Amino acid sequence: AAQIITDVARTDLKRVLATVLDQDELIDEIASRSCEHSNGFDKITLISPNDKAFQLRLHTWLPTRRLVKPEDVHNHSWDFTSIVLFGSLRMQQYEISKEGLAMFHYRYGVQPFDATIKYIAKRRLTCVLDLQMMPGSTYTLSHKVFHRALTEEIATATLLLQGPFLSNDASIFTTTRLRLNEKSELPMKWFKRSDLKPKLQETLKLLRRWTLR
């Protein structure tokens, strides 16, 4: 998976984004499954087959949208591989422990998808790995690993290859209580063409300045 995503990032991604930007119907299709993520980045799903066997996504932290708080610690219901395209990313991994940072534990269902966030209990988590990832760095994480990604005050983007679903739920750990909507869901802003197009244009411009090793 790491070799696949590295090859795509080096040889195909700029061409794909340029092609998308020339076709409004493709922008509309991608926008319909892309959103502002509650963890402070733009989640842009480029490819998502009907069988959900995989997804190929851009995650972008652009100057127009800065984090107001650190990303929540979380895991997923699928394994993934990611490559840093430009900027830098600090990847931290955590384990539940008797000592450590006190956090609120939430869980939501994914098979079938249920966006309702359920509070579980207070936990303590300890950071067991803290790495700085630079352009060209790749990493693969199991769905079982609790983690978070932190960015500096510079534009950053990653290309992520998500694998098939491997569990029925996933967890979120926060230092403060989550602010949920009336349905006990995290507020989500889905993109329209007018939202997504300038983000893709800016991402492509920044990609052209970087040459991955």
Side-chain angles (χ1 to χ4, degrees):
Q3 190 60 55
I4 292 172
I5 204 164
T6 299
D7 290 344
V8 171
R10 286 175 174 169
T11 62
D12 298 322
L13 186 57
K14 290 191 285 290
R15 176 177 53 81
V16 168
L17 293 183
T19 299
V20 169
L21 284 167
D22 281 341
Q23 301 183 50
D24 285 346
E25 62 273 19
L26 285 179
I27 299 176
D28 291 339
E29 179 184 338
I30 293 171
S32 70
R33 55 181 182 246
S34 302
C35 64
E36 287 186 354
H37 196 282
S38 60
N39 266 334
F41 61 87
D42 293 325
K43 176 182 171 182
I44 302 170
T45 304
L46 299 174
I47 301 174
S48 182
N50 291 333
D51 62 4
K52 303 296 183 184
F54 74 96
Q55 281 191 352
L56 184 66
R57 297 203 301 263
L58 271 174
H59 289 180
T60 62
W61 294 258
L62 298 179
T64 52
R65 183 161 188 252
R66 299 310 312 169
L67 280 173
V68 296
K69 65 178 183 64
E71 182 171 295
D72 297 325
V73 177
H74 59 283
N75 73 323
H76 300 289
S77 58
W78 27 261
D79 300 344
F80 74 90
T81 297
S82 185
I83 183 170
V84 179
L85 300 171
F86 54 78
S88 67
L89 200 69
R90 185 177 172 189
M91 174 57 61
Q92 296 180 331
Q93 295 182 18
Y94 287 80
E95 291 179 356
I96 295 175
S97 59
K98 293 182 179 180
E99 298 180 353
L101 184 63
M103 306 191 86
F104 299 98
H105 181 193
Y106 295 85
R107 187 175 291 140
Y108 62 96
V110 292
Q111 287 284 78
F113 181 74
D114 179 5
T116 303
I117 307 291
K118 301 177 179 66
Y119 174 68
I120 305 301
K122 287 185 178 180
R123 308 283 192 198
R124 287 191 177 274
L125 276 74
T126 298
C127 182
V128 296
L129 185 66
D130 192 338
L131 296 175
Q132 192 74 26
M133 316 291 288
M134 303 306 291
S137 299
T138 61
Y139 59 98
T140 298
L141 283 186
S142 161
H143 64 288
K144 298 178 181 179
V145 175
F146 302 129
H147 64 280
R148 69 177 176 181
L150 305 174
T151 60
E152 306 292 339
E153 292 295 316
I154 59 173
T156 299
T158 63
L159 185 66
L160 181 146
L161 180 61
Q162 171 190 317
F165 288 101
L166 298 172
S167 67
N168 294 327
D169 56 46
S171 290
I172 303 171
F173 299 87
T174 65
T175 54
T176 59
R177 289 277 191 172
L178 285 175
R179 298 178 64 180
L180 305 175
N181 62 22
E182 65 278 2
K183 296 181 180 180
S184 294
E185 299 172 347
L186 286 170
M188 193 80 71
K189 178 189 175 183
W190 296 93
F191 291 146
K192 299 178 181 178
R193 182 195 306 171
S194 58
D195 301 312
L196 183 60
K197 190 168 186 176
K199 294 177 185 294
L200 292 179
Q201 289 171 330
E202 179 68 11
T203 300
L204 180 57
K205 181 175 73 174
L206 290 166
L207 271 175
R208 285 171 170 161
R209 294 180 183 173
W210 290 83
T211 301
L212 296 180
R213 294 180 177 86

